[in-house]
């Protein structure tokens, strides 16, 4: 069997121990999906399209990292204005503000595309040091 014919038969998926998951060939204007369990070990895992000529533009990196705890006592304040540099927030009046109970920064209340600022304040656990900072 010629190399090109063998590649087509295998849908261009090489046999290699580092391949942990793959999709079947996806035709133009169609979609494919994949589900897999990420590796247990922290690290960077490359992924790539193995169809000839696609690897240079169809590739990426899956990063596996330890989960970090959410930010505790997280609050936000939202401002509008023309800011050429970081403003002194203590001299400004926020248009909105309040707690973010999920412990994640959220800018979804923002309706402006330009001329706005957010201030976030909370407590984070610095892993490995045993201390907290704001």
């Amino acid at each position: 069997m010629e190399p090109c014919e063998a590649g087509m038969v295998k849908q261009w998926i090489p046999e290699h121990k580092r391949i942990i998951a793959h999709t079947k060939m996806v035709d133009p204007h169609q979609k494919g999906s994949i589900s897999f369990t990420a590796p247990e070990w922290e690290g960077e895992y490359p992924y790539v399209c193995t169809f000839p000529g696609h690897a240079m533009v169809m590739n990426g990196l899956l990063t596996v990292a330890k989960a970090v705890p959410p930010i505790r006592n997280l609050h936000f304040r939202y401002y509008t204005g023309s800011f050429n540099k970081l403003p002194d927030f203590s001299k400004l009046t926020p248009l909105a503000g309040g707690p973010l109970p999920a412990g994640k920064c959220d800018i979804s209340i923002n309706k402006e595309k330009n001329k706005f600022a957010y201030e976030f304040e909370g407590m984070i656990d610095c892993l490995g040091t045993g201390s907290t900072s704001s």
Side-chain angles (χ1 to χ4, degrees):
M1 193 179 300
E2 293 291 320
C4 186
E5 186 180 347
M8 288 189 303
V9 168
K10 293 182 177 185
Q11 296 196 26
W12 306 105
I13 301 165
E15 294 179 21
H16 197 281
K17 66 181 181 179
R18 290 180 57 196
I19 296 175
I20 60 174
H22 61 80
T23 64
K24 65 178 186 66
M25 284 284 292
V26 179
D27 292 326
H29 309 291
Q30 293 192 347
K31 296 179 181 180
S33 65
I34 188 168
S35 296
F36 65 96
T37 301
E40 292 180 37
W41 299 277
E42 289 185 57
E44 295 180 335
Y45 297 86
Y47 56 88
V48 64
C49 177
T50 55
F51 187 82
H54 286 205
M56 293 300 289
V57 293
M58 296 176 70
N59 62 74
L61 202 58
L62 168 72
T63 302
V64 176
K66 290 180 183 175
V68 295
I71 302 171
R72 294 182 287 111
N73 301 321
L74 181 61
H75 288 76
F76 80 97
R77 286 179 284 283
Y78 171 70
Y79 307 87
T80 59
S82 294
F83 307 112
N84 295 325
K85 62 181 182 175
L86 187 65
D88 180 353
F89 289 111
S90 68
K91 295 181 180 177
L92 300 175
T93 302
L95 295 177
L100 294 169
K104 297 178 182 174
C105 295
D106 179 6
I107 62 170
S108 63
I109 70 157
N110 182 35
K111 305 296 183 226
E112 303 291 327
K113 291 189 180 212
N114 298 301
K115 301 182 180 181
F116 66 90
Y118 276 91
E119 181 182 26
F120 296 98
E121 184 175 350
M123 303 292 287
I124 60 172
D125 292 322
C126 297
L127 303 176
T129 66
S131 63
T132 57
S133 301
S134 61

